[in-house]
Amino acid sequence: MKLIFTKLKILVLLTAFPGALAFGQQLLSLENALDIASQNSPDIRISLLNLERSQESLNAQKAALKSQFTLSLNPVDFSRTRSFDDFSSTWYTNESFGSSGTFTVSQPVLWTDGTVQLVNRFGWQKNINDVTNREDRAFTNNLYLSLTQPLFTYNRLKLQLKELQLDLENSNLSYAMQKLNLEKLVTQYFYNVYMAQMSLTIAKDEMENTKKSYEITKNKVEAGLAAREELYQAELNYATAESGLQNKRVSLENYKDQFKQYIGMDIFEEISVMTNVDANAVDVDLKKAIDYGLASRMELRQREIDIENSQFDLIQTKAMNEFKGEMNLSVGIIGEDRVVGNVYNNPTNNPQVSLSFNVPLFDWGEKKSRIKAQEAVLQTRELNLENQEIQIVIDIRQVYRSLQNLKTQIDIARQNEKNAQLTYEINLERYANGDLTSMDLNLYQTQLSEKKMAYAQSLIDYKIELLNLKIQTLYDFEKSQGIVPEELMKKSNN
């Protein structure tokens, strides 16, 4: 074990002096890996794109609530028609040529869901009739202000805006959760590589020990102090150790590839990881952990957003086949003259008022059934919120128990590793004295390797479980401070 920590110290020195890297490998700490993943991880990039989609959709909706200016042009409008005049019982041909343009300013009214429009339509037209052989031409201008107002129905503009605001908030929450999940997964991948490195180091130590025992056995056999079958067994143990070492190398490279893929690194880049696996015991207040979890967990807000969206869906469902109306008001003036400058010498007022209603009569129960279905969806999401709260408490309690258990497991694993080291050293001496077979010594060697790995794994398990507690509660008990992602501080309507 001392050899392992000595090598880790060397890795720390190499990190402090990059020029000392002799093998072209990039040394990564957990913090370095997290920084790389936060920029390059495919999961984070997808989450960011989804956040951008939500933000731009909200921006578009807000832009749509501002005044919209449009210009419609019809530069050429020509027609020739042949018609029959019932009064004179004659056929005649009418030829028409015109040009027009319409300028419109449209302003949605958020508070009433209405639309106010200012419209100016200007045109010129020439008509020729083959009966009268008269050519009529004139300029016309129609300027009016109109209001279209829905009645007895819900405000669709407000609902659309609120839905997009909630969608942005939900995307912010998902991004913040993805960052926390990224930290957890990067840590797990990182420690997978670390454990594979440690396993390789232990396999090398085991290889060296096996080589020593092989040489001792060979010398004994050559001196006639041991049977030749002892040499065969020693050779078998040596070959097994060599094969195990090669397997550890392959396993390490596989873990490195998985790690580099997840954090977004070039998989052909050579890396090595370094970290301090010492785990200091952290005192955890279970009640405080639960209180922070229930107050801060972003999943609860997401469930609340689901409920709000279901309420909006219920409003829209109730609007099916509803009694509603629409009012249209318009005031303006129309001018006409053969001279463009005189179109408003004798204008005509053209006020318009219309009121219409949609009165549903019978729909065979469709609306009633759809409302019941949507109410069931709403109740389901309310139950999901309640269940999410319970699940958060259960998860925190499980992590708390796991941490208490891991403290004990670390002490046991530390003592087991120490005992296994002493046991191996004693039996190595017995083997050198001829009191133990090579097969028996190999069992003690295997036991020592297993206990070293078990001790390192218990330390890593404790670190990962502490990180899990931080994610479950959004409170860092190591630093005694809460975690409030910046995304939660943002307002969707900014």
Side-chain angles (χ1 to χ4, degrees), residues 203-477:
K204 289 179 180 179
D205 293 341
E206 185 176 339
M207 179 73 176
E208 289 298 323
N209 292 335
T210 305
K211 183 178 180 181
K212 289 179 182 179
S213 65
Y214 167 73
E215 291 174 350
I216 292 173
T217 302
K218 183 179 179 182
N219 292 334
K220 284 183 177 182
V221 171
E222 290 176 350
L225 300 176
R228 181 160 294 277
E229 54 265 27
E230 283 291 318
L231 180 59
Y232 296 152
Q233 183 62 49
E235 290 175 347
L236 178 60
N237 293 342
Y238 185 73
T240 302
E242 188 175 22
S243 175
L245 179 62
Q246 182 60 29
N247 288 336
K248 299 300 182 183
R249 287 195 178 99
V250 172
S251 179
L252 173 60
E253 293 304 318
N254 290 338
Y255 278 120
K256 284 183 179 180
D257 283 349
Q258 294 172 8
F259 175 61
K260 288 183 284 188
Q261 179 190 20
Y262 187 76
I263 67 175
M265 285 187 67
D266 183 359
I267 62 172
F268 294 103
E269 185 171 357
E270 292 297 328
I271 66 167
S272 183
V273 302
M274 49 80 64
T275 187
N276 179 14
V277 295
D278 288 338
N280 297 322
V282 177
D283 292 328
V284 177
D285 185 334
L286 180 59
K287 183 178 184 304
K288 186 176 183 179
I290 292 175
D291 290 343
Y292 259 94
L294 292 176
S296 306
R297 283 287 290 274
M298 291 169 280
E299 293 91 336
L300 295 179
R301 177 54 188 155
Q302 285 189 316
R303 299 293 81 75
E304 291 173 354
I305 291 175
D306 289 341
I307 291 175
E308 291 186 61
N309 283 325
S310 293
Q311 291 171 340
F312 294 155
D313 292 339
L314 182 59
I315 291 173
Q316 293 173 336
T317 302
K318 289 181 177 180
M320 291 181 57
N321 299 325
E322 66 175 346
F323 171 76
K324 63 180 179 180
E326 184 173 273
M327 178 180 64
N328 291 281
L329 300 177
S330 175
V331 292
I333 54 176
I334 298 177
E336 176 203 354
D337 199 272
R338 295 176 64 89
V339 180
V340 66
N342 299 331
V343 290
Y344 278 126
N345 286 348
N346 188 24
T348 302
N349 295 326
N350 62 331
Q352 297 180 4
V353 179
S354 69
L355 192 62
S356 61
F357 296 100
N358 177 65
V359 183
L361 297 177
F362 190 69
D363 66 353
W364 303 94
E366 177 190 2
K367 179 178 178 179
K368 182 178 180 181
S369 295
R370 292 189 183 278
I371 290 175
K372 286 184 176 181
Q374 190 56 46
E375 287 175 342
V377 172
L378 177 59
Q379 292 175 8
T380 299
R381 293 185 175 177
E382 289 172 345
L383 290 173
N384 287 340
L385 175 60
E386 296 177 7
N387 188 60
Q388 184 78 63
E389 292 175 345
I390 296 172
Q391 189 62 49
I392 286 174
V393 175
I394 291 174
D395 291 342
I396 293 174
R397 286 164 61 89
Q398 288 179 346
V399 174
Y400 175 79
R401 296 190 194 105
S402 179
L403 284 171
Q404 304 308 308
N405 178 56
L406 285 170
K407 289 180 183 179
T408 304
Q409 296 301 321
I410 289 173
D411 293 337
I412 295 173
R414 183 187 297 115
Q415 187 62 43
N416 286 341
E417 189 269 339
K418 180 180 179 181
N419 292 342
Q421 181 68 45
L422 294 173
T423 301
Y424 176 76
E425 292 173 357
I426 292 172
N427 284 282
L428 179 61
E429 185 175 351
R430 290 178 60 199
Y431 176 73
N433 294 331
D435 298 330
L436 197 70
T437 65
S438 60
M439 183 178 293
D440 293 331
L441 182 62
N442 186 62
L443 293 176
Y444 290 114
Q445 173 65 65
T446 302
Q447 176 181 265
L448 176 59
S449 300
E450 291 175 350
K451 297 308 177 184
K452 286 180 178 180
M453 289 297 297
Y455 178 48
Q457 187 65 59
S458 65
L459 293 172
I460 290 173
D461 288 344
Y462 186 75
K463 282 180 169 289
I464 291 178
E465 204 65 11
L466 272 178
L467 175 59
N468 191 24
L469 180 67
K470 183 173 76 171
I471 294 173
Q472 294 287 342
T473 62
L474 291 184
Y475 186 86
D476 191 337
F477 282 90

Side-chain angles (χ1 to χ4, degrees), residues 96-203:
S96 175
F97 181 82
S99 180
S100 64
T102 303
F103 175 72
T104 305
V105 180
S106 180
Q107 175 61 59
V109 183
L110 178 62
W111 300 110
T112 66
D113 197 20
T115 303
V116 176
Q117 285 189 325
L118 177 65
V119 182
N120 189 80
R121 183 176 293 114
F122 177 78
W124 173 81
Q125 185 170 339
K126 178 178 72 173
N127 286 289
I128 302 175
N129 190 297
D130 64 353
V131 175
T132 61
N133 289 323
R134 179 182 175 182
E135 179 180 301
D136 294 320
R137 63 177 64 192
F139 292 94
T140 60
N141 196 80
N142 185 5
L143 176 64
Y144 63 91
L145 181 68
S146 68
L147 169 65
T148 301
Q149 178 61 55
L151 302 173
F152 310 116
T153 187
Y154 70 93
N155 191 322
R156 286 166 171 78
L157 285 178
K158 276 189 175 181
L159 187 62
Q160 291 173 359
L161 183 63
K162 184 62 178 176
E163 285 179 333
L164 291 173
Q165 288 172 339
L166 290 177
D167 181 58
L168 176 59
E169 183 181 358
N170 192 45
S171 295
N172 274 317
L173 292 170
S174 296
Y175 176 61
M177 290 167 61
Q178 183 62 52
K179 288 177 66 177
L180 289 173
N181 188 55
L182 178 76
E183 182 179 1
K184 180 179 180 180
L185 290 176
V186 169
T187 301
Q188 289 177 340
Y189 279 113
F190 180 87
Y191 281 127
N192 285 342
V193 176
Y194 173 80
M195 287 300 293
Q197 285 183 179
M198 174 173 273
S199 180
L200 179 60
T201 302
I202 292 174

Side-chain angles (χ1 to χ4, degrees), residues 15-80:
T15 306
F17 302 95
L21 295 177
F23 302 101
Q25 285 189 337
Q26 180 178 354
L27 285 176
L28 292 178
S29 66
L30 180 56
E31 291 74 17
N32 297 144
L34 288 171
D35 289 340
I36 294 172
S38 65
Q39 300 295 325
N40 302 327
S41 170
D43 291 341
I44 283 292
R45 292 167 66 185
I46 291 173
S47 185
L48 277 172
L49 288 172
N50 188 53
L51 180 59
E52 181 181 358
R53 174 198 60 77
S54 298
Q55 181 65 66
E56 293 303 326
S57 295
L58 180 60
N59 292 343
Q61 183 64 23
K62 288 182 176 180
L65 294 176
K66 297 179 180 179
S67 298
Q68 305 295 314
F69 299 85
T70 59
L71 177 63
S72 175
L73 297 176
N74 186 14
V76 177
D77 186 0
F78 174 78
S79 66
R80 177 182 293 159

